[in-house]
Amino acid sequence: MGASAMVRVRDLHKSFGATPVLRGVSLEVAEGEVTCVIGPSGSGKSTLLRCVNHLEKIDAGTVEVDGALVGYRESGGRLHELPDRAIARQRAEIGMVFQDFNLFAHMTVLENLVEAPIGVRGLSRKDAAERAREVLRLVGLPDREDSYPRQLSGGQQQRVAIARALAMRPKVLLFDEPTSALDPELVGEVLSVMKELAVGGLTMLVVTHEMGFAREAADSVVFMDAGRVVERGSPAAVLGAPRERRTREFLDRVL
Ligand code: ADP
Ligand code: MG
């Protein structure tokens, strides 16, 4: 890893009020690699992702994406929060896929996909539409550009959400339990799209309860509990031969 880290989180601390939620989290995602974050509910996984794209302000530590501090600039040895416009520019490089899709319900699939490339990236409508069709093919929905979200299954909506993120050509794509809201029979189609993206070299940081996905697609697995990284390593090591008691107890519950 080292110099090739696309995402680098160092000693991240975050509290809500008096409640510490992240208590010194460090991790790296190398360029082109997939890191899966697993752990019990409430361990801080979503908060970690939200800190990576500065949807949450952090209390201490640093987040870097592609070598640049996220949300702050350093001067005189201190961190100063960036203005909103600069943060928006950074977020354009950091895609996020949520559990509940977050598509714009009143827009067609194509409109969902061209909105940010036109508004944020400054693409022409024609170029944005071309790019949208390209990413819809990637997620296996080439014929759905005129559909509205409500006309699609949950699995299709989540694939549109992934396509929408990809249309921005992000440096890294964050996934927060992307299959947790889906009926069981729709989980596979979303995971197989994610596996293709992984094979294709997209840098991904994925919070998931899908241990099969972690085993097959992850380069690295991080187990979090109570706001800390308890254990990290290859999927074979963390899932197959965990060293820490808390990891074993968690895996015994979910596997
Ligand atoms: P996970 O995704 O691992 O389930 P979260 O990051 O969502 O965990 O939450 C970790 C803890 O932080 C939980 O106890 C949760 O209640 C708390 N928390 C998360 N977001 C907020 C918030 N905006 N305000 C107050 N508490 C929060
Ligand atoms: Mg969560």
Side-chain angles (χ1 to χ4, degrees):
M1 284 206 237
S4 68
M6 179 57 82
V7 179
R8 183 179 278 132
V9 175
R10 281 200 186 114
D11 200 23
L12 180 58
H13 290 257
K14 172 70 185 173
S15 297
F16 291 109
T19 311
V21 170
L22 298 177
R23 304 195 279 180
V25 169
S26 298
L27 61 81
E28 292 186 0
V29 187
E31 184 171 5
E33 298 210 328
V34 177
T35 294
C36 283
V37 179
I38 62 172
S41 179
S43 55
K45 306 181 299 297
S46 294
T47 303
L48 168 66
L49 287 193
R50 293 169 57 80
C51 287
V52 169
N53 67 3
H54 207 64
L55 282 174
E56 298 286 354
K57 244 186 242 196
I58 67 184
D59 298 331
T62 54
V63 174
E64 288 174 35
V65 170
D66 201 15
L69 280 175
V70 174
Y72 301 88
R73 70 184 166 77
E74 197 182 343
S75 98
R78 298 183 53 176
L79 297 182
H80 306 267
E81 196 175 21
L82 291 170
D84 290 347
R85 273 189 25 229
I87 291 172
R89 263 201 302 281
Q90 291 185 324
R91 282 209 188 107
E93 311 288 341
I94 306 170
M96 181 124 169
V97 173
F98 300 88
Q99 186 172 325
D100 50 2
F101 329 136
N102 282 5
L103 294 173
F104 304 119
H106 60 290
M107 292 184 187
T108 64
V109 165
L110 191 75
E111 288 163 354
N112 265 280
L113 265 64
V114 300
E115 157 106 3
I118 294 172
V120 180
R121 292 277 200 224
L123 262 65
S124 70
R125 182 160 289 277
K126 180 170 166 292
D127 288 349
E130 208 166 284
R131 194 187 277 194
R133 292 182 182 118
E134 192 179 296
V135 291
L136 282 173
R137 278 195 298 277
L138 265 180
V139 302
L141 294 169
D143 46 4
R144 287 308 207 145
E145 66 179 64
D146 295 323
S147 301
Y148 283 87
R150 67 172 176 279
Q151 299 171 313
L152 302 174
S153 73
Q156 291 171 328
Q157 289 186 56
Q158 191 60 301
R159 287 188 281 150
V160 171
I162 292 170
R164 185 175 60 178
L166 291 173
M168 291 294 278
R169 307 238 165 113
K171 289 178 170 169
V172 55
L173 195 42
L174 314 177
F175 293 82
D176 193 359
E177 298 196 25
T179 59
S180 293
L182 297 175
D183 292 335
E185 73 272 20
L186 303 177
V187 168
E189 65 190 64
V190 172
L191 293 180
S192 73
V193 164
M194 291 170 63
K195 280 180 207 161
E196 278 174 43
L197 297 175
V199 171
L202 184 68
T203 307
M204 297 161 59
L205 180 55
V206 183
V207 172
T208 186
H209 292 299
E210 294 290 338
M211 298 301 146
F213 174 82
R215 198 174 285 115
E216 287 171 43
D219 297 285
S220 165
V221 174
V222 172
F223 172 67
M224 278 181 69
D225 191 23
R228 290 200 174 89
V229 172
V230 172
E231 183 161 359
R232 86 189 76 198
S234 69
V238 175
L239 304 176
R243 282 176 282 116
E244 301 292 332
R245 181 182 51 81
R246 277 188 286 172
T247 316
R248 285 197 297 273
E249 285 172 356
F250 172 75
L251 291 172
D252 282 345
R253 283 202 303 277
V254 300
L255 287 177

